[in-house]
Amino acid sequence: MDKYMKVEKRTLLLIACLVWSAAGFNIFRIGFLLYPAYLSVLNLFLSFLIFTVFQFFIFGRIVKKHTGRILGYGEERQFFLKFFDLKSFAVMAFMMAGGIYLRASGFAPERFIAVFYSGLGLSLLLAGILFGRNYLSAAHRKK
């Protein structure tokens, strides 16, 4: 493999931070732009509930799993796409395709997009921030 395509393993955490943060911000933005028409205490509660479920049962666990996997690599330099494993790339592709389909087909009402995407996007963004924290922590330990 080309030496220019390999990065320090802790840099994989930074790549994950950037990818997850960008995805989270974009998904949140879609929901947030639709939210004003559906702003209510119930919808805010539902968005918070979605955020909490995704953060504690899915994305928070994924951050821990991938951080451990990345820092556990034996060799210091790794292929830059190894911030995810194959299963995670497949899940990401499925989620992206599903989200695009929901919006483009009109199958999901705007209220659903506003509420669900806001909670999901914030959870993804927080996962990105946590990858960034883990990157800084790994960089600090290296010194």
Side-chain angles (χ1 to χ4, degrees):
M1 181 155 319
D2 190 350
K3 69 179 181 176
Y4 298 109
M5 299 188 75
K6 289 188 173 188
V7 297
E8 291 182 13
K9 60 186 178 183
R10 68 184 174 91
T11 303
L12 295 174
L13 297 172
L14 179 60
I15 295 169
C17 165
L18 297 172
V19 169
W20 283 68
S21 295
F25 176 80
N26 283 322
I27 291 169
F28 173 73
R29 184 183 57 77
I30 291 166
F32 181 78
L33 291 174
L34 295 173
Y35 224 107
Y38 307 105
L39 187 60
S40 71
V41 173
L42 176 61
N43 287 342
L44 288 170
F45 173 76
L46 290 172
S47 292
F48 177 76
L49 184 63
I50 291 162
F51 164 83
T52 303
V53 167
F54 273 92
Q55 190 56 48
F56 287 100
F57 295 107
I58 300 172
F59 299 139
R61 292 177 180 183
I62 288 174
V63 170
K64 287 178 187 173
K65 173 187 159 194
H66 285 296
T67 298
R69 178 182 53 78
I70 288 167
L71 295 177
Y73 285 140
E75 292 182 34
E76 180 57 33
R77 297 188 64 80
Q78 297 290 324
F79 182 57
F80 76 99
L81 289 178
K82 287 181 84 174
F83 69 93
F84 264 177
D85 55 16
L86 188 58
K87 178 183 173 187
S88 295
F89 275 112
V91 168
M92 179 177 63
F94 177 77
M95 289 180 66
M96 287 173 61
I100 291 167
Y101 172 75
L102 281 177
R103 287 193 340 270
S105 70
F107 181 73
E110 276 192 357
R111 179 184 308 252
F112 173 83
I113 299 295
V115 171
F116 186 76
Y117 274 43
S118 295
L120 177 68
L122 281 179
S123 186
L124 275 167
L125 180 58
L126 179 56
I129 291 167
L130 293 174
F131 273 120
R133 180 199 65 190
N134 293 345
Y135 165 76
L136 292 173
S137 178
H140 185 269
R141 280 194 301 263
K142 187 175 180 182
K143 291 180 181 180

